[in-house]
Amino acid sequence: MGTIRPLKLRSPLLAAIAINLTLIGVRTASYRPLQTMEGASSFVIEAVASLLTAGVLVVVVGSLADSRTVLKPASVAGLGGGSLLVIHMALEQFGDHVGEDSLMTLAFMVAAFTTWAGAAYLVARWSFQIIPGVLAGCWSAMTSVVVVVTFGLALTFFDVPRASYVATWPEFKASGWADPQAFSIANSFENASTHIVVALVVGFVMASGGSLLAWMTSPRSRAAP
């Protein structure tokens, strides 16, 4: 079986991060009212900084982990988790906003997080090592969040959510901003940075838990003195 070069698995993620940075730049430049809103630049800076941090971690984790035994299965799990998060976001924005239900949100989050822990568990179980499992779980989390952030930023070009709906938000009314569409775009930028930070933290926790569980239940660990 041929080997998989790390660059083949890192490149799509890095390309997606670059696309997200471009989306932020283009959307900010194309909607001038956003530039006049007080504090709008902080939303842009936070989103850009979080994406750059994710890019650095992609390079680091991709350099440390084996492509075939760690990154490949983790990428598959990450795409699965990312798909769940995209479905949830679509339910939030469309379909009468049914995705805003707290129980449904929790269900989708737990399902996505489980895919990250599952990737860590399987890799740690196969390798009989904790570190490869942790790397797999973290890679899976980064893959998922890049997928959902790309979807969320793309929606800003279609004025989703609608300005009329954003105008009803308590957060918008308390912000002092006069333009609900500008607030919607800034909110999407904030969601992007929040998703990335949460994915990095929760991804590491789930990856560690899945890896430790695999190690503790491994026949080798039970046979160790």
Side-chain angles (χ1 to χ4, degrees):
M1 181 181 295
T3 60
I4 302 174
R5 295 181 180 180
L7 190 60
K8 287 186 177 181
L9 293 173
R10 280 184 293 181
S11 295
L13 270 186
L14 293 175
I17 290 173
I19 290 172
N20 284 323
L21 291 170
T22 302
L23 290 175
I24 291 173
V26 172
R27 195 65 183 111
T28 302
S30 64
Y31 194 72
R32 293 191 178 278
L34 175 62
Q35 304 170 31
T36 65
M37 297 293 106
E38 182 180 358
S41 60
S42 63
F43 294 101
V44 177
I45 293 172
E46 289 174 2
V48 169
S50 60
L51 282 166
L52 291 176
T53 300
V56 171
L57 291 176
V58 166
V59 173
V60 172
V61 175
S63 300
L64 295 175
D66 180 79
S67 297
R68 183 174 63 84
T69 61
V70 177
L71 298 186
K72 185 177 180 181
S75 296
V76 174
L79 290 174
S83 298
L84 290 172
L85 295 176
V86 165
I87 292 172
H88 176 248
M89 182 175 289
L91 291 174
E92 281 186 322
Q93 305 301 339
F94 311 103
D96 295 327
H97 309 285
V98 294
E100 294 179 357
D101 179 77
S102 58
L103 290 178
M104 182 175 291
T105 297
L106 179 62
F108 273 97
M109 290 176 61
V110 170
F113 296 166
T114 301
T115 64
W116 307 346
Y121 176 87
L122 290 177
V123 170
R125 186 83 175 182
W126 294 335
S127 64
F128 299 103
Q129 298 180 61
I130 292 178
I131 292 180
V134 173
L135 293 175
C138 291
W139 184 270
S140 178
M142 286 187 288
T143 301
S144 293
V145 77
V146 167
V147 170
V148 72
V149 165
T150 304
F151 179 71
L153 292 177
L155 289 180
T156 64
F157 287 85
F158 300 94
D159 299 331
V160 176
R162 292 186 178 278
S164 58
Y165 177 61
V166 175
T168 66
W169 293 358
E171 305 96 304
F172 169 71
K173 296 177 180 179
S175 68
W177 287 24
D179 190 323
Q181 187 172 345
F183 186 85
S184 174
I185 296 171
N187 184 66
S188 295
F189 292 169
E190 182 179 34
N191 285 340
S193 57
T194 301
H195 274 75
I196 292 172
V197 172
V198 170
L200 296 179
V201 175
V202 176
F204 178 76
V205 172
M206 299 301 290
S208 300
S211 299
L212 286 172
L213 179 62
W215 182 79
M216 289 187 296
T217 58
S218 168
R220 287 192 181 185
S221 66
R222 291 197 298 267

